[in-house]
Amino acid sequence: MLWWDGIVATFIKCFLKDDRYLLLLDGIGVTIKISLLAVLIGIAIGLVIAFCALSKKKVLNLIGKVYTDVIRGTPSVTQLMIIYFVVFATVDLEKWVIAAIAFGINSGAYVSEIIRAGILSIDKGQTEAGRSLGLNAMQTMVSIIIPQAVKNIFPALCNEFIVLVKETAIVGYIGLVDIQKAGDLIKSATFEAFMPLIATAIIYFVLIKTLTLALARVEKALRKSDNR
Amino acid sequence: MITVKNLHKSFGDVHVLTGIDEHISPGEVVVIIGPSGSGKSTFLRCLNLLEQPTDGEIYVDNELITSPKVDVNKVRQKMGMVFQQFNLFPHLTIMENITLAPVKLKKMTKEEAIKKGEELLERVGLAEKANAYPAQLSGGQKQRVAIARALAMQPEIMLFDEPTSALDPEMVGEVLDVMKELAKSGMTMVVVTHEMGFAREVGTRLLFMDQGIIMEQGKPEDVFSNPQNERTQAFLSKVL
């Protein structure tokens, strides 16, 4: 069983020797930290930009449009590097937080478009019904429009979150060791490409599959009112 | 209760309302009929400012509601509205649909609102549907809930915008019955409708609208049996 021994030896070299698996474990932590914070920032920015884009005020409208345009028109690696090496060059913040801000800013542009579409998808009669009862515009938005919009846009938002998690694989560019970078470091140290890279892929897949399953449960709960 | 003076409304170049003067007194059931495009719905929607009038004045309880200083939301709390397309909130249960506005607007506590909701659902014959969602209801049931929802705010006036036009024929009766009962209870109502039977039976006054003005008005039986205006005659000959 020579080939089997070979595989075991490579596995030990890649993951157990010098506790290399710890690199990957820490990498998972970094990826998750960045993703979670970035999602929150992305939703916050997305909401603000969506309302700008939907606003009747010309200035706000323009801000919304320009933001989305600029972010969509440049690669996220470039944005990440500009934010880390230029914008936050002299600011004393933890690297992962800066990375999360960068990804949040990026995600915000996409989230805003999703939210905007979601709000526009709700029938005008819903707003009229709310207003006719005496609710003001804000109350109508919060109690009537947004809950319905969230349900409609949830699948698209999930998609955006999944993309975001995978996008974080570029944080190696600013010297963070996430899952991708950990796999890469192991590759360089061991001169083995197959196992570290496949392990990287498997870890991402499991992470995202777990996320997908969790989000599917949330969606099912959201759809409760559709049952006939 | 409602006084309208020289009301105009345009959408771009289209002049939908071209000068309406009207007074509605407490307890009246005013039924508005007329061909499509005559401005009936626009008129009704101007009354609670869902449409902003282009020109003219509307007074509700002697308050000039077309003034920019007026609190539109407060005015609307006095006027319930029922829509052709029901516009129930699909993400909320029937009871939540009814209690949302009174609780949010601090008119009632949650407990009071639920008690009121149960009372109203009883009144429209849907007590057992409190925890259902709108998608589980038939059109007629939805519209009866919509009426209950509007009544939960304890309005002084109820506006109905073609409340039975989106219903299957066999469901029209149940909604009209609720409206008849409401009229009998003394509610002031303004109803845009194509239900001539309802207009004749329940209406205390009939308005015939065409080309953005009120062409003719009077007691329903008089207008139906002896229309004065040529256009009223033409319209009635088609629908009766």
Side-chain angles (χ1 to χ4, degrees), chain A residues 34 37-38 41 45 83 88 93 96-106:
Chain A
I34 295 175
L37 184 57
I41 296 173
I45 293 181
I83 286 170
F88 282 93
L93 258 181
W96 74 270
V97 178
I98 299 177
I101 293 173
F103 287 112
I105 289 174
N106 177 278

Side-chain angles (χ1 to χ4, degrees), chain A residues 132-145:
Chain A
S132 79
L133 287 164
L135 300 173
N136 65 32
M138 191 67 181
Q139 289 165 327
T140 306
M141 198 39 107
V142 171
S143 310
I144 297 165
I145 307 303

Side-chain angles (χ1 to χ4, degrees), chain A residues 132-198:
Chain A
S132 79
L133 287 164
L135 300 173
N136 65 32
M138 191 67 181
Q139 289 165 327
T140 306
M141 198 39 107
V142 171
S143 310
I144 297 165
I145 307 303
I146 290 183
Q148 295 183 58
V150 165
K151 199 170 72 173
N152 287 357
I153 65 180
F154 196 74
L157 273 183
C158 293
N159 201 33
E160 169 57 25
F161 296 159
I162 287 165
V163 170
L164 174 62
V165 173
K166 293 192 292 182
E167 285 264 278
T168 61
I170 57 172
V171 292
Y173 276 93
I174 61 166
L176 275 165
V177 182
D178 67 331
I179 302 169
Q180 178 64 41
K181 190 66 189 174
D184 193 41
L185 288 177
I186 294 173
K187 179 179 79 91
S188 314
T190 58
F191 299 109
E192 295 283 348
F194 181 77
M195 274 207 194
L197 292 182
I198 293 299

Side-chain angles (χ1 to χ4, degrees), chain A residues 10-51:
Chain A
T10 316
F11 186 86
I12 291 174
K13 183 165 82 171
C14 287
F15 301 121
L16 301 181
K17 191 159 172 282
D18 300 336
D19 285 339
R20 291 209 170 100
Y21 71 94
L22 285 179
L23 269 177
L24 282 169
L25 278 187
D26 290 346
I28 294 174
V30 170
T31 297
I32 292 179
K33 267 197 307 195
I34 295 175
S35 303
L36 282 181
L37 184 57
V39 162
L40 295 180
I41 296 173
I43 292 177
I45 293 181
L47 269 172
V48 173
I49 297 298
F51 282 108

